[in-house]
Amino acid sequence: MFREIAYYPGCSIEGTAKEFDESVREICKVFGISLREIPDWNCCGSTPAHIYEPLLSAALSGRNLAIAESVGFDKVMTPCPGCLKALKGSLEAFRDPTKKEDFLRILNMPFEGRIKAVSIVQFLIEDIGVDEIERNVVFPLEGITVVPYYGCLLTRPPKFAEFDDPEQPTSMDRLLGAVGAKVPHFPFKTECCGATYGVLRKDIVGKLTGRILKMAQDLKADAIAVACPLCQQNLDLRQGQVERYRKESFEIPVIYITQIIGLALGIEPKKLGLHRLAVKPNFLFEMSRKGKENFVLEKQT
Amino acid sequence: MRIGVFVCQCGTNIASTVDTERVAEAARRLPDVVYSTTYVYTCSEPGQQEIQRAIEAYNLQGVVVAACSPRMHEPTFRRAVEKAGLNRYMFEMANIREHVSWISNDREANTKKAIELVRMAVAKLRFNQPLFPSRVAINKRVMIIGGGVAGIQAALDCADAGLQVVLVERKASIGGKMAQLDKTFPTIDCSSCILGPKMVDVAQKENITLYAYSEIESVSGYVGNFTVKIRKKATYVDWTACTGCGVCMEKCPSRKVLDEFNEELSFTRAISIPFPQAIPKKATINPKYCLHFTKGKCGICSKVCPAKAIRYDMTDEVVTEEVGAIIVATGYDLFDPSAYGEYGAGQYRDVITGIQYERILSASGPFGGHIKRPSDGKEPKDVVFIACVGSRDASVGRPYCSGVCCMYIAKQAILTKDHIPDSRCYVFYMDIRAPGKNYDEFVRRAQEEYGVQYIRGRVGKIYPKGDRLVVQGMDTLLGVQIEVEADLVVLATGIEASKGARELAEKLHISYDQYGFFMENHPKLRPVETNTAGIYLAGACQGPKDIPASVAQGSAAASKVLALFARDTIETSPQVASVNERACIACGKCIEVCPYGAIRWKELKGGIKKAEVLATVCQGCGLCNATCPPKAIQLQHATDNQILAEIEELCA
């Protein structure tokens, strides 16, 4: 299977979430998916744009969609849920008869609105499929407990997202199950991590992220799987900060779901950027090493 | 023809955006119009007298009133002209209120449109013919569909008045939702103790024929003469022989059948009597679980039954009943809370619905009336109630208030405190809606005497913590987020239209609203009638209702039937199709298209066939007229000539 789809990386992917980008590209290779970056893509405007004026946000992302459409793509995938919401927001503006005219006037580019925007999770579920992933697993994550953390934007707002259940999503649960991990029901899968308050109000993020980490710890999770650069940053990079705030220790690795899947598919930990995580997933390194040894042994016999 | 035109001002309803004087002035210039005037309230007593006076003074032969929708006042004006000696069909109405004055503020355009409507009405009236109704006998039997408390009340009232009553219930027993309840607000009397005797009355009244475990297959006919086909679903037990002894149920080896009556909190058998007080108290086999049907073996019930009542080869049976009126009392269903993923209903066993809690509280329930939680059977100490689950929430398509939840929560909290005095009850609510007699006092008692904690705010999430649940919500009075740890969470699920309501409405030719509740004829003034004559509504099938309101409407519907049956015959509308035999080419197309089966063949001398309309069956829909190639079949009072005259006037 070889397919080419439009890829919108966004700013986090080029910076703090480099390993997300690396692991997405690696696993797409396994499934014969070629990711083509949208030529001359621009910033989605992130939080400031839609707070200032939703139409600005819609137009900024509309430009990226219009370019992708002009190149001939019918689907654009982005790993970042923030970017995703902006892309879906412009499609919503296009569909809404009260906004459509203004949106197209500001966009000032030909746009037919045929294109679909999906997250990497939605892409894995709908275009590759849980069964196909399961078939390609080389090192199953047996004996590893992983809780999926969806954050707020992957399946919401439901009107835009049109994917999975907004309050009790299961797509990441299914993906983790496919690679052999033990996935307990994680009640805080869509609770707020504090988002951008990590900069302004450390106490808020300390409190909110702390609850999520604590719940994961209570469920005896070896790792938390995420699919959002901002969630990952709050849970991983700020974990020390949270530990100081709550005066307790977690030491829970917070890993992109694509890194976990990549590892199970037999991709080198380094290629997946696992070494870039703040809380080191040592057990995964170990597992990967052992898995490889066994794999080699199996081949020899 | 000498025609009079009366332009109504409807106070300022019409006059404020239509120049009624100009409309009357324009009407005066129309052919055959000899008198035209305006009046402030034409429908009032002096307004009607003005019409009657003009009929006499100007020797009028036809009258046009330009006013409101004919739905409300056409009968009023028809009566008025009749009293003055005209045939009631020599009257036409132009709707210049709903169709003109209420929809636009443009006075000039409105006035022009009003004039056009009056011109059309006059043009039509010039072709009107006096028509005379015929009379048919009324079949004084009544059918009640639905055996909940509203249907039971209607059935008993009709039976008390001496009518023959046919009661049709979909489930194996009558009693409806009320039979499942533990106690009733605001008096805390036992629900089955007050309903039970009424159910027994239904069984004992000789003039009530009960079809339980039966559904309506089809309905035809019209007021006074309905023909209803009823599907008696196969119970696999001969109910004339079954004594309700329950031996079969005891011995049945298929024990993993979720008990519907106990809201799936316990198990019943593949052959079962729904509950101890069931009417009729007869066993029914559920073939989905019965080993005889699934595996082809067993047959224990058949062996143990002392009455030899088991009939594995039973099939559905369709019976026909003829009745003169129908009361629809099909009740409601409860909202499925799984739409709220954040509450985890269906996922967390100790998050239950209000009706499940009723069963838990009930002495005949799954735990014998001891409050236990479903997961581990422990007695809960902290119980949280969440109001408005599937009520007043547009995001789940239920923007309306269910009306009963505030009350049943207060009742359940009081009962919880009665059962477990050291328990703590919390209620998350939006507002308290308790407008009935002694209702608000009841809620205050829950708060003040029983110390139930009322927290104004919505719950955002429920999650498990150990073997308990954490309810995370907002206290909007304090402006803080709060978390309450609970052993049991009760979701006050709202009322929705019963499943199958829409299909039934289509069989009955009655209308329903966007949520599936049946529509009353007028929201204030005709709350029991539907817009199909002879079909009445009772209970929550018309909208959310509590027990007193359902009972009241049951009695109201019964009184409407009694009023209808107080006459021996009823007038049938002469606005029906009729065949001009000379023009009829006997193609039979009208017979094919008639949805009411109102047209049949008639043989003339020499074997010539012609179509014939059964005036009492015809509903005046006009399909035959539109289909007839030589236009031999004409709808009285809406003939081709009349409609063409209107169109010509509009296009002139």
Side-chain angles (χ1 to χ4, degrees):
Chain A
M1 176 169 100
F2 177 80
R3 241 187 92 191
E4 196 178 52
I5 63 155
Y7 185 54
Y8 179 76
C11 58
S12 303
I13 292 303
E14 298 204 321
T16 54
K18 215 168 164 183
E19 63 273 34
F20 199 7
D21 180 57
E22 290 165 339
S23 54
V24 166
R25 288 177 190 273
E26 284 298 328
I27 63 171
C28 281
K29 258 191 238 165
V30 173
F31 297 107
I33 307 290
S34 163
L35 300 177
R36 179 136 164 236
E37 262 187 52
I38 296 172
D40 190 33
W41 59 267
N42 56 270
C43 171
C44 76
S46 188
T47 313
H50 80 84
I51 286 184
Y52 175 70
E53 169 58 60
L55 266 178
L56 169 63
S57 173
L60 283 169
S61 283
R63 179 176 174 276
N64 294 320
L65 290 173
I67 295 173
E69 220 176 61
S70 73
V71 180
F73 287 111
D74 58 0
K75 188 171 270 186
V76 55
M77 188 268 279
T78 180
C80 173
C83 301
L84 179 76
K85 194 216 146 212
L87 290 170
K88 289 195 170 176
S90 37
L91 290 171
E92 178 63 24
F94 180 79
R95 281 197 294 246
D96 185 339
T98 65
K99 295 182 191 144
K100 185 175 177 175
E101 202 182 317
D102 283 340
F103 166 72
L104 287 175
R105 186 173 44 77
I106 300 167
L107 181 63
N108 197 24
M109 284 170 79
F111 183 56
E112 292 174 35
R114 287 179 287 107
I115 198 159
K116 205 178 158 196
V118 295
S119 67
I120 177 68
V121 175
Q122 188 171 0
F123 185 72
L124 288 173
I125 290 276
E126 289 177 0
D127 286 63
I128 295 176
V130 172
D131 295 342
E132 178 68 12
I133 293 170
E134 202 169 347
R135 265 197 294 279
N136 282 280
V137 168
V138 182
F139 309 131
L141 275 80
E142 273 156 19
I144 308 266
T145 302
V146 186
V147 292
Y149 177 65
Y150 295 74
C152 54
L153 285 179
L154 202 59
T155 58
R156 290 187 285 197
K159 193 171 82 168
F160 291 18
E162 295 173 320
F163 172 63
D164 213 341
D165 187 292
E167 296 297 338
Q168 296 282 14
T170 55
S171 48
M172 282 172 73
D173 296 61
R174 280 181 277 150
L175 290 172
L176 291 169
V179 298
K182 191 178 159 211
V183 193
H185 170 60
F186 190 46
F188 284 177
K189 53 170 73 165
T190 55
E191 287 294 276
C192 180
C193 71
T196 46
Y197 275 109
V199 183
L200 310 163
R201 292 281 303 273
K202 293 196 178 73
D203 57 324
I204 289 181
V205 171
K207 191 173 153 192
L208 296 177
T209 308
R211 296 174 71 217
I212 295 164
L213 290 166
K214 179 79 182 129
M215 181 60 89
Q217 193 178 46
D218 290 348
L219 290 166
K220 301 193 171 46
D222 297 306
I224 299 174
V226 294
C228 168
L230 191 53
C231 301
Q232 203 277 341
Q233 182 177 317
N234 279 343
L235 290 163
D236 181 44
L237 193 63
R238 296 186 191 282
Q239 200 170 113
Q241 200 176 302
V242 175
E243 286 175 339
R244 283 193 295 283
Y245 174 83
R246 286 182 66 110
K247 297 188 179 61
E248 57 185 327
S249 159
F250 296 115
E251 281 292 318
I252 301 175
V254 181
I255 311 170
Y256 288 107
I257 188 155
T258 43
Q259 293 179 299
I260 296 180
I261 293 171
L263 208 68
L265 296 176
I267 301 164
E268 288 272 331
K270 185 121 196 200
K271 282 192 184 164
L272 297 167
L274 274 165
H275 58 290
R276 295 188 204 277
L277 301 176
V279 181
K280 299 293 177 223
N282 291 323
F283 70 93
L284 282 183
F285 293 136
E286 182 74 0
M287 203 201 75
S288 168
R289 194 179 52 77
K290 271 194 190 156
K292 209 142 286 174
E293 277 168 16
N294 293 340
F295 192 62
V296 173
L297 276 175
E298 253 172 55
K299 270 200 164 174
Q300 280 168 349
T301 51
Chain B
M1 191 184 288
R2 296 175 62 83
I3 294 172
V5 176
F6 300 82
V7 183
C8 183
Q9 297 167 350
C10 196
T12 56
N13 270 307
I14 294 171
S16 66
T17 61
V18 174
D19 186 343
T20 48
E21 290 300 334
R22 244 178 77 201
V23 178
E25 173 64 39
R28 216 162 285 145
R29 289 196 296 270
L30 295 174
D32 291 353
V33 174
V34 294
Y35 179 71
S36 174
T37 187
T38 63
Y39 198 83
V40 59
Y41 286 114
T42 316
C43 63
S44 66
E45 194 67 38
Q48 294 180 44
Q49 281 164 1
E50 163 64 20
I51 295 174
Q52 288 158 344
R53 188 197 58 78
I55 290 173
E56 213 164 302
Y58 297 92
N59 199 16
L60 299 179
Q61 294 164 305
V63 168
V64 169
V65 171
C68 52
S69 156
R71 222 186 145 92
M72 187 74 192
H73 280 310
E74 193 174 58
T76 315
F77 292 123
R78 278 181 173 171
R79 271 196 303 272
V81 300
E82 204 165 43
K83 271 190 196 157
L86 294 188
N87 181 278
R88 70 169 87 155
Y89 292 94
M90 298 307 287
F91 167 79
E92 285 299 324
M93 219 168 160
N95 182 357
I96 62 166
R97 194 176 74 176
E98 284 86 342
H99 285 179
V100 182
S101 75
W102 276 357
I103 54 170
S104 163
N105 284 323
D106 184 338
R107 197 173 169 83
E108 185 53 36
N110 283 357
T111 306
K112 261 178 82 182
K113 185 175 172 190
I115 292 170
E116 279 172 356
L117 291 174
V118 169
R119 275 173 38 208
M120 286 169 73
V122 170
K124 183 187 172 208
L125 178 60
R126 293 170 69 206
F127 287 92
N128 279 19
Q129 297 284 338
L131 299 174
F132 301 93
S134 52
R135 301 196 75 88
V136 290
I138 294 178
N139 178 352
K140 293 188 183 180
R141 284 161 57 90
V142 58
M143 173 172 291
I144 291 148
I145 306 173
V149 69
I152 289 174
Q153 183 66 37
L156 291 177
D157 284 358
C158 290
D160 280 342
L163 297 182
Q164 287 293 329
V165 178
V166 180
L167 177 58
V168 182
E169 165 59 46
R170 178 160 62 172
K171 297 214 166 134
S173 168
I174 58 167
K177 292 277 187 301
M178 187 176 168
Q180 288 180 280
L181 306 183
D182 176 39
K183 305 281 194 307
T184 56
F185 58 78
T187 43
I188 315 263
D189 38 15
C190 159
S191 187
S192 52
C193 312
I194 57 174
L195 181 67
K198 279 186 179 283
M199 289 167 62
V200 173
D201 274 359
V202 169
Q204 288 176 347
K205 289 257 190 243
E206 276 170 10
N207 50 348
I208 298 182
T209 309
L210 172 60
Y211 290 99
Y213 211 58
S214 301
E215 290 188 46
I216 301 300
E217 186 85 354
S218 67
V219 181
S220 59
Y222 52 94
V223 54
N225 294 281
F226 291 104
T227 303
V228 186
K229 288 205 165 80
I230 302 163
R231 175 172 294 271
K232 287 171 74 180
K233 295 178 283 184
T235 57
Y236 307 104
V237 177
D238 179 356
W239 279 9
T240 52
C242 176
T243 58
C245 69
V247 173
C248 53
M249 209 173 156
E250 255 169 58
K251 302 288 182 204
C252 175
S254 177
R255 289 154 189 260
K256 286 285 168 199
V257 185
L258 285 170
D259 189 345
E260 200 187 327
F261 186 75
N262 272 343
E263 293 293 326
E264 308 199 338
L265 288 168
S266 65
F267 294 104
T268 180
R269 309 293 168 87
I271 184 164
S272 68
I273 296 168
F275 53 100
Q277 304 91 337
I279 299 284
K281 199 177 177 189
K282 307 283 180 192
T284 304
I285 291 179
N286 183 340
K288 246 174 39 196
Y289 298 96
C290 172
L291 295 175
H292 176 85
F293 288 96
T294 55
K295 301 248 164 70
K297 48 192 178 193
C298 189
I300 290 177
C301 51
S302 174
K303 281 177 211 126
V304 299
C305 176
K308 300 280 168 249
I310 308 297
R311 302 279 183 278
Y312 295 123
D313 58 351
M314 193 185 258
T315 50
D316 288 8
E317 186 191 342
V318 176
V319 294
T320 304
E321 285 284 355
E322 311 269 343
V323 295
I326 298 174
I327 296 175
V328 189
T330 47
Y332 65 98
D333 268 311
L334 287 154
F335 182 78
D336 175 4
S338 62
Y340 291 89
E342 62 270 39
Y343 294 164
Q347 191 164 15
Y348 308 134
R349 288 185 66 194
D350 295 328
V351 177
I352 60 171
T353 63
I355 190 86
Q356 285 182 315
Y357 199 46
E358 289 292 337
R359 293 314 303 146
I360 291 178
L361 290 164
S362 169
S364 68
F367 310 129
H370 299 290
I371 302 183
K372 291 178 182 176
R373 51 186 214 165
S375 64
D376 53 10
K378 268 195 207 158
E379 190 180 74
K381 291 289 180 218
D382 292 287
V383 182
V384 172
F385 297 88
I386 301 176
C388 300
V389 178
S391 295
R392 303 177 68 198
D393 187 349
S395 74
V396 295
R398 299 286 181 274
Y400 55 84
C401 172
S402 289
V404 295
C405 320
C406 287
M407 292 305 296
Y408 81 63
I409 288 177
K411 175 197 71 181
Q412 291 180 343
I414 286 176
L415 292 173
T416 307
K417 291 284 224 179
D418 275 341
H419 279 71
I420 313 168
D422 63 338
S423 63
R424 288 161 298 270
C425 290
Y426 305 86
V427 175
F428 281 90
Y429 70 100
M430 294 213 265
D431 335 88
I432 305 291
R433 302 205 160 174
K437 189 176 178 183
N438 288 322
Y439 283 14
D440 204 57
E441 297 92 315
F442 183 74
V443 176
R444 294 296 285 249
R445 254 176 75 202
Q447 295 171 333
E448 290 160 9
E449 264 178 57
Y450 286 84
V452 177
Q453 293 277 327
Y454 272 72
I455 302 158
R456 199 191 78 176
R458 290 294 274 178
V459 169
K461 186 162 205 78
I462 297 170
Y463 62 90
K465 188 178 178 189
D467 70 343
R468 305 184 86 197
L469 294 157
V470 180
V471 181
Q472 182 181 306
M474 177 81 187
D475 186 329
T476 52
L477 293 177
L478 288 176
V480 293
Q481 290 185 17
I482 57 166
E483 287 193 341
V484 180
E485 281 199 26
D487 300 304
L488 185 68
V489 178
V490 181
L491 305 177
T493 44
I495 286 176
E496 61 182 25
S498 84
K499 287 169 196 75
R502 288 176 170 86
E503 290 76 15
L504 181 63
E506 271 148 32
K507 284 175 189 165
L508 291 163
H509 301 291
I510 60 175
S511 18
Y512 50 88
D513 67 16
Q514 74 237 67
Y515 309 111
F517 292 114
F518 299 142
M519 294 276 276
E520 62 283 0
N521 190 295
H522 188 283
K524 278 144 282 186
L525 303 178
R526 291 165 76 91
V528 181
E529 296 94 326
T530 64
N531 43 24
T532 299
I535 300 184
Y536 306 94
L537 301 175
C541 63
Q542 181 253 343
K545 251 177 226 73
D546 59 10
I547 294 167
S550 298
V551 171
Q553 207 185 5
S555 285
S559 81
K560 286 286 166 190
V561 171
L562 292 172
L564 173 72
F565 287 0
R567 290 160 286 185
D568 293 325
T569 57
I570 41 166
E571 264 184 13
T572 61
S573 165
Q575 289 177 253
V576 292
S578 76
V579 181
N580 174 356
E581 282 175 7
R582 259 186 250 164
C584 175
I585 55 167
C587 65
K589 287 199 170 105
C590 52
I591 298 177
E592 272 169 50
V593 297
C594 179
Y596 305 98
I599 310 177
R600 65 179 177 192
W601 290 117
K602 168 186 180 185
E603 206 157 309
L604 301 182
K605 270 181 218 155
I608 305 161
K609 283 205 297 187
K610 296 287 175 187
E612 181 190 39
V613 175
L614 302 165
T616 51
V617 184
C618 175
Q619 300 291 303
C621 70
L623 270 182
C624 53
N625 170 239
T627 314
C628 179
K631 299 296 166 205
I633 196 157
Q634 289 287 323
L635 189 59
Q636 301 308 306
H637 210 56
T639 59
D640 289 347
N641 283 347
Q642 290 174 309
I643 292 167
L644 286 172
E646 286 181 290
I647 295 170
E648 263 170 34
E649 193 59 41
L650 186 64
C651 299

